[in-house]
Amino acid sequence: MSDQVRIVEVGPRDGLQNEKTPVSVEGRVAFIEALLAAGLHTVEVGAFVSPKAIPQMVGSDEVLRRVSQHAVGEFHVLVPNEKGYEAARAAGAKVIAVFGSASEGFSRANINCSVAESIERFKPVIARAGADGIKVRGYVSCVLGCPYDGEIKPQAVVDVAKILWDLGCYEVSLGDTIGVGTPKKARALLRTVAGHVPMAHLAMHFHDTYGQALANLYAGMEEGARVIDSAAGGLGGCPYAPGATGNVATEDVVYMLKGLGIATGVDMRKLVQATNEVSKLISRPPVSRVAAALNAKRKANSQ
Ligand code: HMG
Ligand code: MG
């Protein structure tokens, strides 16, 4: 397997949105700067959502303003509605992400509306972003299972993914929000959705609750998918996805890609450093197997 893979680092948003101890604006900016220094170019840095729903993302405007001063880097922020859009635009967002769901249960819990209503909310956001020259990414959650509705039919994923693509999203990210997928299912889903949204415009956003995320990514890559969402250290989770753990760890993805002969431009030592720094802020060791292995090796070598 060759080619290029694009990594979308979601640690500062997905990674920190569910942490018991919110990380300060200062801490988030330092984390993002460390990720950029490690060679990650595309970083999801915050969310313009209700502060009552996700207090951890308060201050995303300041985070975005401060990191936008960097010459390199593409910074994404989540936007659920027009109110969020206005705040994101005022903070200088150049790329936003709307987030829908393939399941009704998760849509209700997460954004307090049905799937159809969510699309109606996204329409003016996407239209205004287009007029303002702001790129829009689209998420579809619960593509391989829902904590409320259980099994999800691939057709439900296709329906939402196709609408987001037709409305003008440049990329649609397929979220295994609760990390229940397995490779055969992930592969079949990618193949089915790619019949409606070009594979080059699909991203894989896999949480690792059941330890399947890397295998699912590999299966998706065999189908031709080349965009991977991951979080440094394996951070992540959603307060509306009970029991779900973090995103697939960026370190583990980079390690696997290197083994496949796919260069990412990421400096692993610096990436683990970024993870270690944010781990101190949330008082938890990294979940990433690669980060843990490299930390153990470093410790053994220094003794
Ligand atoms: P709602 O209650 O239906 O909205 O919430 P509303 O329009 O009725 O407004 C209620 C209150 O929220 C009002 O304030 C609004 O001003 C305020 P109040 O009068 O009560 O003081 N409000 C806002 N404040 C700031 N920014 C906004 C905004 N909109 C309304 N944009 C809403 C609907 C979507 C706002 C709410 O449910 C919400 O914020 N949910 C957060 C959802 C979220 O961030 N979830 C985590 C991210 S999704 C995820 O993790 C999955 C993903 O990673 C992919 C995957 O893994 O599958 C992307
Ligand atoms: Mg997620």
Side-chain angles (χ1 to χ4, degrees):
M1 205 180 285
S2 61
D3 300 334
Q4 285 211 311
V5 166
R6 188 155 51 81
I7 295 177
V8 178
E9 167 62 45
V10 299
R13 193 280 303 173
D14 202 335
L16 300 180
Q17 71 182 6
N18 200 27
E19 283 301 322
K20 276 193 201 77
T21 321
V23 175
S24 66
V25 165
E26 208 61 49
R28 280 180 273 161
V29 169
F31 181 32
I32 295 159
E33 285 174 346
L35 292 167
L36 293 170
L40 288 153
H41 173 265
T42 306
V43 186
E44 201 171 67
V45 300
F48 290 84
V49 296
S50 159
K52 286 181 193 147
I54 314 276
Q56 293 87 341
M57 288 292 106
V58 168
S60 286
D61 50 350
E62 199 184 332
V63 170
L64 179 60
R65 278 199 193 94
R66 285 175 57 179
V67 299
S68 296
Q69 289 160 6
H70 290 277
V72 289
E74 181 180 289
F75 306 114
H76 296 191
V77 289
L78 293 194
V79 164
N81 53 21
E82 285 192 90
K83 186 178 169 87
Y85 176 72
E86 273 153 29
R89 188 185 57 174
K94 295 196 171 58
V95 186
I96 62 167
V98 295
F99 48 108
S101 172
S103 80
E104 290 294 340
F106 185 73
S107 184
R108 282 257 165 242
N110 193 40
I111 51 174
N112 196 27
C113 62
S114 69
V115 173
E117 284 163 347
S118 75
I119 300 296
E120 293 310 309
R121 287 184 187 177
F122 300 154
K123 278 180 185 168
V125 170
I126 296 171
R128 289 176 66 180
D132 292 335
I134 293 173
K135 282 168 54 175
V136 187
R137 195 170 197 244
Y139 276 106
V140 185
S141 283
C142 295
V143 299
L144 292 167
C146 169
Y148 307 98
D149 300 353
E151 284 279 322
I152 297 299
K153 291 200 170 69
Q155 190 55 48
V157 180
V158 166
D159 290 345
V160 181
K162 186 168 167 17
I163 290 172
L164 292 175
W165 173 248
D166 289 344
L167 285 173
C169 290
Y170 71 93
E171 186 165 283
V172 178
S173 178
L174 302 176
D176 183 8
T177 317
I178 53 171
V180 288
T182 46
K184 195 173 167 188
K185 270 190 165 177
R187 176 197 302 273
L189 181 75
L190 260 305
R191 185 177 295 177
T192 304
V193 180
H196 305 267
V197 177
M199 188 66 95
H201 296 272
L202 289 175
M204 300 180 283
H205 179 109
F206 297 160
H207 286 256
D208 200 29
T209 317
Y210 287 85
Q212 304 293 301
L214 269 186
N216 294 344
L217 288 177
Y218 187 75
M221 286 177 65
E222 283 194 322
E223 280 302 310
R226 287 293 180 272
V227 186
I228 296 175
D229 295 0
S230 62
L235 292 164
C238 172
Y240 304 103
T245 63
N247 294 84
V248 67
T250 309
E251 289 91 336
D252 300 8
V253 170
V254 168
Y255 185 88
M256 178 179 81
L257 293 176
K258 190 173 177 212
L260 292 170
I262 299 174
T264 56
V266 173
D267 179 324
M268 183 67 89
R269 192 184 57 82
K270 289 184 180 168
L271 174 55
V272 174
Q273 230 169 35
T275 290
N276 288 344
E277 288 306 313
V278 80
S279 294
K280 282 186 212 152
L281 297 180
I282 58 173
S283 310
R284 270 198 303 121
V287 178
S288 160
R289 301 288 291 267
V290 170
L294 293 177
N295 280 333
K297 195 169 159 187
R298 190 171 43 96
K299 204 170 157 197
N301 286 343
S302 69
Q303 277 166 358

